[in-house]
Amino acid sequence: TRVRPSSKRCAVIGGSGFLGRHLVEKLLERGYSVAVFDIRQSYELPGVTFYQGDLCDKEALRPALKDVPLVFHCASPAPASDDRALFQRVNVQGTRTVIQACTELGVQKLVLTSSASVVYEGADIKNGTEDIPYAAKPMDYYTETKIEQEKLVLQACDKEGGLLTVAIRPHGIFGPRDPQLVPILVDTARRGKMKFIIGDGTNLVDFTFVENVVHGHILAAEHLRPESPLCGKPYHITNDEPIRF
Ligand code: NAD
């Protein structure tokens, strides 16, 4: 007989990353035991079991997702990469593999970290709701694969006793240990390269504090049930007001 998985167990795919690690720390604080799956290990923490592997490899994923009712998928190649094949392989093909592994292992819930850029077409969006259609012309290849990835995960939602899914769409994330946003801004400024403004200086850009993004993920996970309106839906996540640059 199969051991009934404890409801306080979960797995974080991409748990070594910036967002992933903040999520893991908050989950531990809330009493979860956490399996981290990632191609690299960046820390050790009590309560975390680390599994190293590529999410495109189902056999490597299986031990990390076994007997786990809840999976967070927040792994992605760095958006700045220009390796199209890598985005396709990890974000699209790899996400198919993650969904298959979840389904085969009887995982109950899958929470995806998507991106607000999936609806961005170049014009400012203020108070945008989730009814906005996907961008017909995504701004880059990363975003194109984030759209495909989100569709795959949301379409996999099965309220009749199968896998339940939801997606969280942050835009820029900032906070402690942020490897990209603030360090790149500071570095660019130090090198005297802040002379250019993209747009006319009134563009809206949204940044969300990492702990708010984490909070959104955990709320979504804990409220995802077969009868809940969250099933198969994306949610924008933001601070109160966009920042005007
Ligand atoms: P990050 O690079 O810090 O973390 C991503 C993690 O995924 C890394 O630890 C990396 O090793 C892992 N990974 C990459 N390819 C993998 C593979 N094939 N198999 C297993 N693990 C793999 O990035 P982040 O900023 O923490 O982003 C997390 C998620 O949030 C991503 O899905 C990203 O698209 C999304 N997101 C981030 C931002 C942001 O501003 N940082 C904004 C919107 C959406």
Side-chain angles (χ1 to χ4, degrees):
T1 56
R2 214 176 131 190
V3 183
R4 195 178 150 73
S6 148
S7 63
K8 281 285 191 178
R9 277 176 59 82
C10 66
V12 178
I13 302 172
S16 292
F18 166 51
L19 174 63
R21 181 170 171 187
H22 279 280
L23 180 58
V24 169
E25 289 173 349
K26 185 55 80 181
L27 288 163
L28 292 171
E29 221 179 280
R30 288 173 76 104
Y32 285 84
S33 67
V34 185
V36 164
F37 183 91
D38 203 295
I39 34 172
R40 63 184 176 112
Q41 177 166 13
S42 61
Y43 60 92
E44 273 178 48
L45 275 176
V48 176
T49 314
F50 192 85
Y51 297 84
Q52 192 161 6
D54 186 330
L55 63 85
C56 303
D57 176 355
K58 195 160 71 186
E59 291 315 306
L61 270 173
R62 292 183 75 95
L65 307 192
K66 190 168 173 292
D67 295 332
V68 169
L70 166 62
V71 174
F72 296 91
H73 176 6
C74 53
S76 170
S81 160
D82 55 6
D83 188 341
R84 288 182 160 225
L86 182 68
F87 286 131
Q88 182 66 29
R89 190 178 72 82
V90 176
N91 285 351
V92 181
Q93 213 37 55
T95 297
R96 276 201 190 98
T97 307
V98 168
I99 294 167
Q100 270 170 18
C102 286
T103 307
E104 288 172 18
L105 290 163
V107 170
Q108 292 159 19
K109 306 178 189 184
L110 173 62
V111 179
L112 173 73
T113 314
S114 180
S115 169
S117 63
V118 301
V119 296
Y120 181 70
E121 294 220 293
D124 285 346
I125 298 172
K126 195 171 182 187
N127 300 326
T129 64
E130 289 76 5
D131 307 335
I132 301 172
Y134 288 113
K137 289 192 186 113
M139 61 184 180
D140 53 23
Y141 200 69
Y142 159 79
T143 308
E144 201 174 313
T145 59
K146 290 296 281 186
I147 294 176
E148 278 191 68
Q149 172 190 55
E150 189 188 278
K151 285 183 181 167
L152 286 170
V153 168
L154 297 183
Q155 282 163 7
C157 191
D158 173 7
K159 295 186 197 179
E160 313 299 321
L163 179 67
L164 300 178
T165 64
V166 64
I168 301 297
R169 293 174 174 173
H171 191 240
I173 306 173
F174 69 94
R177 298 189 305 257
D178 153 36
Q180 295 176 38
L181 187 67
V182 175
I184 290 173
L185 284 178
V186 170
D187 184 58
T188 312
R190 284 216 176 102
R191 287 187 290 122
K193 292 199 171 163
M194 282 287 199
K195 291 182 283 201
F196 303 103
I197 297 178
I198 300 172
D200 62 5
T202 62
N203 302 29
L204 299 178
V205 183
D206 187 50
F207 295 109
T208 309
F209 184 52
V210 66
E211 283 186 19
N212 290 338
V213 180
V214 164
H215 186 59
H217 280 68
I218 295 177
L219 280 181
E222 292 183 346
H223 288 82
L224 189 57
R225 292 186 205 93
E227 69 281 5
S228 86
L230 277 76
C231 287
K233 295 275 164 50
Y235 286 88
H236 295 155
I237 180 113
T238 178
N239 296 324
D240 267 359
E241 277 292 314
I243 296 164
R244 191 172 282 284
F245 268 69

